[in-house]
Amino acid sequence: MNTKSILFVCLGNICRSPMAEAVFQRIVAKNGLSSQFEIDSAGMIAYHKGELPDSRMRFFAEKRGYRLTHRSRPFTSSDFDNFDMIIGMDDQNIAALKDKALTIEEVNKIDRMVDFCRYKQATHIPDPYYGGGQGFENVIELLEDACAGLFLYLQVESHKYFETP
Ligand code: 4NP
């Protein structure tokens, strides 16, 4: 079975994308498919390099049973080689990723997180960094919806639903 590699990207890699990584990891683990996925996250700026996720993000994540242990790292051009999908949290992330892409194949790896939402309507995953607690809870709710949609998309894409037992 082929491994699918997915990189979640935001600005600082201390709030949204490490949260997305943890939410998607949990969905994959619950479905017994951890060995088939490589999941990571990165930021478009290196300012928080090496840091754990923001303490507020960790607090609200823990309330829902997620433990965030990722260390912030900046996105690098080699991520285009190392990942099948690169998923940005907002249109600034997408634009910055596209700026770094050198080929059509690299551009085609870039997706928008909210495009996988099934129930929530949102144009982006809002940056919670300068806001209050509600913003962090909103991020988790949006990501739970979007990551479930992403997982479903990948299952259908891999024709899993069309295989006979
Ligand atoms: P994130 O949030 O992109 O969801 O990790 C931010 C974290 C830090 C900064 C901006 C956004 N910052 O400017 O330091």
Side-chain angles (χ1 to χ4, degrees):
M1 191 71 77
N2 281 345
T3 303
K4 194 90 180 169
S5 51
I6 298 175
L7 182 69
F8 297 101
V9 173
C10 62
L11 183 60
N13 192 215
I14 54 167
C15 298
R16 294 165 291 173
S17 62
M19 191 68 236
E21 179 187 339
V23 170
F24 194 66
Q25 287 273 19
R26 182 149 100 184
I27 292 170
V28 164
K30 274 190 172 171
N31 284 276
L33 294 173
S34 295
S35 64
Q36 289 175 34
F37 283 90
E38 159 116 16
I39 303 163
D40 195 6
S41 65
M44 296 313 299
I45 56 173
Y47 187 73
H48 297 282
K49 188 176 174 183
E51 292 178 19
L52 279 171
D54 184 284
S55 58
R56 297 163 297 171
M57 191 76 259
R58 279 187 284 144
F59 173 80
F60 287 103
E62 261 169 45
K63 274 175 71 174
R64 293 178 189 230
Y66 297 101
R67 205 164 151 261
L68 305 186
T69 57
H70 177 82
R71 294 278 174 174
S72 177
R73 71 161 180 96
F75 179 84
T76 67
S77 296
S78 61
D79 286 321
F80 281 119
D81 299 324
N82 295 334
F83 290 90
D84 301 314
M85 291 180 85
I86 297 167
I87 303 180
M89 298 296 130
D90 62 34
D91 287 343
Q92 282 85 358
N93 306 151
I94 304 278
L97 286 166
K98 284 184 177 168
D99 273 352
K100 288 188 182 282
L102 296 176
T103 64
I104 292 293
E105 287 73 24
E106 290 182 353
V107 171
N108 287 341
K109 289 187 174 188
I110 303 168
D111 276 298
R112 243 171 33 133
M113 188 82 259
V114 290
D115 288 343
F116 296 102
C117 281
R118 291 181 301 155
Y119 302 109
K120 301 262 181 199
Q121 288 210 325
T123 55
H124 61 293
I125 307 291
D127 185 348
Y129 192 65
Y130 294 105
Q134 180 56 40
F136 289 88
E137 299 208 290
N138 183 45
V139 163
I140 299 175
E141 280 164 21
L142 286 171
L143 288 174
E144 286 182 335
D145 186 28
C147 285
L150 171 62
F151 183 73
L152 200 59
Y153 164 81
L154 291 170
Q155 296 305 99
V156 172
E157 193 203 35
S158 69
H159 304 292
K160 201 174 166 63
Y161 282 175
F162 309 113
E163 282 170 14
T164 48

